[in-house]
Amino acid sequence: MRARTILAAPCLLGMMAIAFAQSSDAPGPPRLESRYTFTWPVGPTAPAPRGGTTRGVGIKLDTSVSPQWKGLREEGIPAAERDRRAILAMAGGYRVSFDFLEVAAFTGDGSRAQPYQSWGTERVFVDRDEPRRVSLVHILEMHMVGADGKPMEPMVTKHWRQEWRYEPPYVIEYRGANRWVRRDLSRGERQGRWSQVVYQVDEAPRYGALGKWEHNGSFSTWVSDEALRPLPRREWTVRKDYDLLRGTNRHTITPTGWLQEENNLKVVSGTVEAYVGREYGVARYERVAGEYFSEASKYYESTRKYWSEVVAAWDEIWEGNRVVTLKASSDQSGAYVDLFQLADDYAAGKLDIASAKEKIRTSLLQQQAALPTAKVVR
């Protein structure tokens, strides 16, 4: 079956994630499923979760202990190497479920935000593996069932990237108003710690923070310092009452997969900082058995060199600038479209890498703006 590559990534990513919210692993008619793990007290005014009814094809989960976990538990390896293996253990093919709940509201009007629940399927590729730098690329591959009960052609798109650096000289942090800062780190601040910087679908920066890995016999976990981040797609499409998240990020590796937890305050930036609520979130990555992600692999291999040039162009920008301001967030402005079209042209043989480099740099320069006069959150 032919795969369909998705160009308008951020809009369709949100639609697809919602579409899988009430999917079933088994074939058959759609059924509504309660997926609450905890919530506010039930009652007639309790808000229903945001979600949809489109079904995904049946999948089989792999619940065996992963080889990556076994390698991570090897005795006698240096601390930094154990950390690196924990990061590499996030690679693989997964069913990912997302649950976000606003656990406290500070507006005083008694309103409750709808919980957010969704899931999708994606493969995480090791794009760079060095002793002090690891990069993981997430590619979505969605297999959905049509109204006639038959599988639709797979939909594939680049999702996001996470880059880890050991004892880095700097970390890229979000400061609000579409502004990112390269903050230099002292030797003491970075000693024994890893930075994680998260990038959007088109390799524009999203947020970054420092943290430290800890390991025990049951799991390995990394907890970030508190950091700012822009609104995610699940929020900016429905919320206009705040403009920043301030919180912590935890990645936990288990024998059969991994999970990411968030604890976020919802911030209204301005002269006097205010909060509208606090949310808890968890993304659970469960390994998928079998050859499910063949189209994601094809997309990754056919565009890898191209996206590496996009990353290299951003590296050059950060080498020459301590502050980068974009005219708008790329997923909201649509600035990602040009870069995705170039990726498709490269994969189709319509564009060579030399020409791609020039077009990439032109696109990134067009996205940048002068420093804002608006207050930047510290």
Side-chain angles (χ1 to χ4, degrees):
M1 180 178 292
R2 182 174 60 89
R4 180 153 53 103
T5 301
I6 299 168
L7 180 61
C11 293
L12 285 174
L13 286 177
M15 291 172 59
M16 289 190 299
I18 291 173
F20 272 73
Q22 294 169 338
S23 299
S24 169
D25 287 349
R31 68 176 186 271
L32 300 182
E33 297 177 348
S34 175
R35 293 184 52 221
Y36 281 113
T37 52
F38 68 98
T39 184
W40 288 28
V42 297
T45 61
R50 286 188 273 149
T53 57
T54 301
R55 292 183 297 130
V57 301
I59 60 174
K60 181 179 179 181
L61 297 179
D62 183 353
T63 58
S64 64
V65 175
S66 70
Q68 293 91 337
W69 173 262
K70 295 176 181 178
L72 167 60
R73 311 318 300 168
E74 182 181 339
E75 295 183 2
I77 58 177
E81 173 61 15
R82 195 177 306 280
D83 296 346
R84 188 185 71 87
R85 293 187 188 187
I87 296 167
L88 292 171
M90 287 186 272
Y94 299 96
R95 180 180 70 179
V96 192
S97 61
F98 304 92
D99 288 271
F100 285 85
L101 175 68
E102 192 169 286
V103 296
F106 307 131
T107 56
D109 61 4
S111 63
R112 308 186 205 175
Q114 287 181 280
Y116 178 85
Q117 299 178 342
S118 66
W119 69 276
T121 45
E122 67 181 29
R123 183 170 177 184
V124 184
F125 295 87
V126 178
D127 196 55
R128 181 192 292 258
D129 180 11
E130 300 171 0
R132 304 174 73 93
R133 184 177 181 180
V134 176
S135 180
L136 303 175
V137 173
H138 295 236
I139 306 289
L140 278 165
E141 181 172 336
M142 312 290 282
H143 295 252
M144 294 188 288
V145 176
D148 58 1
K150 297 180 180 180
M152 302 167 62
E153 63 184 28
M155 291 189 291
V156 177
T157 192
K158 186 173 180 289
H159 192 187
W160 61 291
R161 183 172 68 90
Q162 48 176 317
E163 181 166 290
W164 298 79
R165 297 198 188 200
Y166 182 62
E167 297 185 341
Y170 64 84
V171 63
I172 296 169
E173 296 178 336
Y174 185 61
R175 296 293 177 85
N178 295 315
R179 183 182 181 185
W180 286 262
V181 173
R182 188 195 71 197
R183 183 170 69 87
D184 294 335
L185 303 172
S186 68
R187 181 180 297 275
E189 188 176 11
R190 65 178 185 258
Q191 186 173 7
R193 308 180 83 198
W194 289 78
S195 66
Q196 184 211 38
V197 179
V198 169
Y199 296 89
Q200 306 200 98
V201 296
D202 62 349
E203 298 296 341
R206 183 158 181 78
Y207 61 87
L210 276 174
K212 187 177 179 61
W213 280 95
E214 297 180 7
H215 309 275
N216 59 52
S218 300
F219 59 84
S220 294
T221 192
W222 175 90
V223 185
S224 78
D225 294 339
E226 190 174 74
L228 289 175
R229 65 182 72 184
L231 266 62
R233 284 181 294 273
R234 60 181 169 80
E235 288 285 83
W236 63 255
T237 54
V238 297
R239 298 287 293 268
K240 305 298 180 184
D241 56 331
Y242 76 102
D243 59 336
L244 288 169
L245 290 174
R246 180 193 294 279
T248 57
N249 183 18
R250 177 190 290 269
H251 286 245
T252 300
I253 313 302
T254 71
T256 60
W258 60 284
L259 64 154
Q260 177 186 356
E261 300 167 79
E262 298 180 23
N263 185 337
N264 298 318
L265 281 166
K266 298 181 175 182
V267 181
V268 182
S269 62
T271 305
V272 178
E273 190 173 290
Y275 304 99
V276 301
R278 180 186 292 278
E279 70 172 11
Y280 295 163
V282 58
R284 297 179 179 88
Y285 287 74
E286 301 172 280
R287 295 204 333 271
V288 174
E291 298 298 324
Y292 186 90
F293 295 98
S294 59
E295 297 301 331
S297 297
K298 291 177 184 177
Y299 178 84
Y300 174 72
E301 293 299 336
S302 65
T303 62
R304 182 181 185 183
K305 191 172 183 179
Y306 165 83
W307 286 112
S308 293
E309 290 298 334
V310 179
V311 173
W314 271 111
D315 284 346
E316 290 176 8
I317 290 172
W318 285 115
E319 287 172 4
N321 298 274
R322 290 193 65 254
V323 179
V324 171
T325 303
L326 300 181
K327 295 176 182 177
S329 177
S330 63
D331 57 353
Q332 296 186 43
S333 68
Y336 62 89
V337 171
D338 286 344
L339 290 173
F340 266 69
Q341 184 62 64
L342 291 174
D344 285 352
D345 289 346
Y346 176 77
K350 300 177 182 178
L351 182 69
D352 61 40
I353 201 64
S355 300
K357 288 181 181 181
E358 181 179 350
K359 293 179 182 295
I360 288 166
R361 282 154 179 76
T362 298
S363 177
L364 297 188
L365 287 173
Q366 290 174 344
Q367 293 186 46
Q368 296 180 55
L371 292 181
T373 56
K375 178 180 176 61
V376 174
V377 179
R378 299 291 179 182

